[in-house]
Amino acid sequence: MASFVNELELSVPSIKPIKVKKKPSKLLRSERRTAFLFILPPVISFCVFTIVPLFVALILAFGQFNIFTFEYTFVGFDNFKTLLNYNSVQGRTFIDSVLTTLCFIIEVPIAIALGLLCATLANSRGCKKTNTLYRVLLYLPTVCSAVAANVIWRVIFLDGATPDSSGVINNLFDIAVRWTKDKVPLITAIIIKNSINGMGSAMILYYASMCNISKEYYEAAEMDGANGFQRFAHITFPMLTPVTFYLLIMRLAGCLQSYADSAIFAAKNPNAWTVVFYIWNYGINEYNYSLGAAAALLLGVVIMTITIIQFRLSNKWVLDL
């Protein structure tokens, strides 16, 4: 009898309860409409100023567009071949601008290291009374606009035929270095300028992170006999790796997109052309939009590749807090 009942239960299909979809309440629908209205402006802005220009750049990069006649001719990869051809004037200028931009990357680790050093000093016991003024003074170059900062730094590094027309550095050390004309001094001056300008933002982020590190770690390390350097190397620095990772991504991307250094500080000197300034010069100033779009796409691919590599390698050294 029991087996018959079991067979009967197996033969009868189980009836699943029917889920009745409840209509959203009037309040919920109102909240959704409000939320949609809040996110609509950035979505429209992203589509208009990012998605649409990206598709336009793709079309322009694989063709030849004349702004005066609005004629478009598909040329395939000819624009990219021109950029990578060192025998042509446009290609040689592009490759030189790429090398110059890569030289500017030296300022990234310098600015991060200086920011970490300044944050350590600000967080030290001897700087507790004056660290507010100290942090404000270091952060001021970051708040200053790029144009104003480059104008000020140009006055500092200016070189002239007479002492009256020379900048602060040449007059202070009684030297005659052509900071704004010769290639090596010009690139060196830009690296120094960007390193000092960038250390303020790094210092603020590092200092905020240091303040959030639990004091219990340091107390336990002191009880174990660890000195100041050991506490910094084994506690502070590993806990700051997420900030370091963020700074590397942002500063590398910003450095590769440098424009004001060439346009304002170097006053369009060919010795300090960056990739973005090259895009502006050929793409806008000389109306060669197709060549400028091709250079912009190459720059975007490089930045995206570097960022992906950084994320892939982050698991090996960034502490998961």
Side-chain angles (χ1 to χ4, degrees):
M1 186 66 180
S3 60
F4 175 75
V5 172
N6 291 335
E7 291 178 0
L8 183 62
E9 290 178 352
L10 291 174
S11 61
V12 176
S14 59
I15 301 175
K16 296 181 179 180
I18 300 174
K19 294 182 179 180
V20 180
K21 292 184 179 181
K22 294 183 180 180
K23 188 178 180 180
S25 63
K26 186 177 180 180
L27 177 62
L28 181 59
R29 292 197 302 270
S30 177
E31 289 179 349
R32 287 177 178 177
R33 285 195 298 268
T34 304
F36 178 76
L37 290 176
F38 272 106
I39 67 173
L40 188 60
V43 170
I44 294 175
S45 175
F46 178 76
C47 293
V48 173
F49 296 106
T50 303
I51 301 299
V52 174
L54 178 60
F55 280 105
V56 173
L58 285 171
I59 295 172
L60 291 174
F62 291 96
Q64 194 64 41
F65 177 69
N66 191 329
I67 186 62
F68 302 104
T69 61
F70 277 83
E71 294 180 357
Y72 177 83
T73 305
F74 181 78
V75 295
F77 289 92
D78 287 355
N79 290 318
F80 298 96
K81 293 178 182 178
T82 301
L83 291 173
L84 301 177
N85 183 14
Y86 196 77
N87 295 324
S88 64
V89 176
Q90 295 169 334
R92 182 164 57 252
T93 306
F94 177 75
I95 294 175
D96 289 342
S97 66
V98 170
L99 296 176
T100 302
T101 305
L102 292 177
C103 290
F104 291 165
I105 292 179
I106 298 174
E107 62 93 1
V108 174
I110 297 176
I112 292 176
L114 289 175
L116 179 58
L117 176 62
C118 293
T120 304
L121 293 175
N123 196 46
S124 62
R125 296 175 182 175
C127 197
K128 289 296 182 182
K129 294 182 179 180
T130 59
N131 77 354
T132 302
L133 178 63
Y134 170 77
R135 283 181 286 144
V136 169
L137 291 176
L138 287 178
Y139 194 68
L140 275 178
T142 306
V143 178
C144 185
S145 69
V147 174
N150 277 279
V151 169
I152 295 172
W153 279 104
R154 182 171 174 80
V155 173
I156 294 174
F157 282 101
L158 194 63
D159 51 90
T162 61
D164 293 336
S165 60
S166 295
V168 177
I169 298 295
N170 281 358
N171 283 325
L172 184 63
F173 296 100
D174 194 19
I175 55 178
V177 180
R178 293 160 55 92
W179 294 104
T180 60
K181 294 181 178 65
D182 296 339
K183 188 176 183 64
V184 175
L186 180 55
I187 293 177
T188 303
I190 292 175
I191 291 174
I192 295 172
K193 170 184 71 68
N194 291 340
S195 299
I196 295 176
N197 282 348
M199 72 179 184
S201 58
M203 181 269 298
I204 289 295
L205 292 174
Y206 277 131
Y207 178 77
S209 298
M210 287 179 180
C211 293
N212 289 326
I213 298 177
S214 177
K215 303 300 180 183
E216 296 178 356
Y217 297 121
Y218 297 106
E219 293 172 358
E222 287 181 2
M223 292 178 62
D224 291 338
N227 55 34
F229 177 78
Q230 290 173 331
R231 292 196 298 271
F232 178 82
H234 297 286
I235 298 175
T236 306
F237 188 75
M239 297 288 283
L240 296 177
T241 50
V243 178
T244 305
F245 175 62
Y246 169 80
L247 289 171
L248 280 174
I249 290 179
M250 299 304 296
R251 290 208 63 82
L252 273 175
C255 185
L256 292 174
Q257 299 176 76
S258 173
Y259 171 79
D261 296 333
S262 303
I264 301 170
F265 181 82
K268 303 179 182 179
N269 190 328
N271 290 324
W273 276 25
T274 59
V275 176
V276 175
F277 187 83
Y278 177 92
I279 295 170
W280 172 86
N281 184 70
Y282 283 97
I284 298 176
N285 192 40
E286 297 189 6
Y287 305 104
N288 194 341
Y289 294 101
S290 296
L291 192 67
L297 285 178
L298 287 178
L299 178 61
V301 170
V302 170
I303 293 176
M304 182 176 63
T305 303
I306 293 175
T307 304
I308 292 174
I309 292 174
Q310 287 179 301
F311 271 98
R312 290 298 181 92
L313 297 178
S314 63
N315 295 330
K316 298 182 180 180
W317 64 278
V318 177
L319 185 64
D320 188 12
L321 299 178

